[in-house]
Amino acid sequence: MIRDTSKGFGIISILFHWLGAIVTLVLFGVGFYLTSYGYYSPNALKIAHFHYALGILLFGLIAVRILWRLTSKSPASLSSSLLVRIGIAASKLLLYVLLLVILVSGYFICTSEGQSIDVFGAFQVPSVLLLEIEQLNIAGLTHKYLSWVLIGVVAIHALAALTHHFFLKDRTLVRMVKPAKSSD
């Protein structure tokens, strides 16, 4: 029930999945608000620092999740099609790569002038690299456009899960909601 089995995901993988999804969506929403309306709001700096700190926490969560994934048994695929299994693996890899590139580019944007990131008063993440204006612009564009790509991939991911549940009627979605029994 805690660890993944050959039949399904354990509670730790499920928590990583849903916590990562929620934090990612919150970060996207806050970033969208800031870039669309919020830079001129009275709380813009406070909201921006919330975005930075939450991004750092998501980076830590993703790093631990990747370690968990590399050291845990993965449930067997529900598809017998090699092409579908390759597509699933590629989409998962794409999600991880997009998240990591977005988070690293965000870190570089926030620390571009040597300032550290305060993570909710708990700790500071120092700057490791000063950026020239051209590099900062590249990081900003990378962060912005890959965030939109990520949301598109997440939407496709969610639609695929719903398609599996409602049309193909398999356990794909159920496995990410209900922990596998230890006897599985």
Side-chain angles (χ1 to χ4, degrees), residues 1 7-15 17-18 161-162 165 171-181:
M1 202 165 210
K7 301 273 187 201
F9 295 99
I11 191 72
I12 293 175
S13 292
I14 292 171
L15 287 174
H17 178 269
W18 291 109
L162 292 172
H165 188 72
R171 295 186 37 82
T172 298
L173 182 60
V174 173
R175 291 193 326 172
M176 194 44 74
V177 174
K178 185 179 176 187
K181 294 180 181 165

Side-chain angles (χ1 to χ4, degrees), residues 27-50:
L27 278 167
F28 181 81
V30 171
F32 179 78
Y33 169 77
L34 281 170
T35 57
S36 300
Y37 316 102
Y39 284 136
Y40 302 106
S41 72
N43 292 328
L45 195 57
K46 188 176 184 179
I47 294 168
H49 284 283
F50 171 79

Side-chain angles (χ1 to χ4, degrees), residues 106-117 125-130:
Y107 165 79
F108 285 139
I109 294 165
C110 298
T111 62
S112 64
E113 295 177 345
Q115 67 276 25
S116 62
I117 299 173
V125 177
S127 173
V128 295
L129 184 65
L130 300 178

Side-chain angles (χ1 to χ4, degrees), residues 57-130:
L57 292 181
L58 181 59
F59 184 84
L61 178 70
I62 297 300
V64 172
R65 183 176 181 182
I66 290 170
L67 287 173
W68 176 258
R69 184 130 170 82
L70 292 173
T71 60
S72 295
K73 178 192 326 186
S74 291
S77 176
L78 296 176
S79 176
S80 59
S81 165
L82 178 61
L83 190 60
V84 170
R85 290 195 315 266
I86 290 170
I88 292 167
S91 66
K92 287 179 183 178
L93 179 62
L94 179 61
L95 285 168
Y96 283 121
V97 169
L98 285 170
L99 277 167
L100 290 173
V101 172
I102 292 164
L103 291 166
V104 169
S105 64
Y107 165 79
F108 285 139
I109 294 165
C110 298
T111 62
S112 64
E113 295 177 345
Q115 67 276 25
S116 62
I117 299 173
D118 176 41
V119 183
F120 302 115
F123 60 94
Q124 299 274 327
V125 177
S127 173
V128 295
L129 184 65
L130 300 178

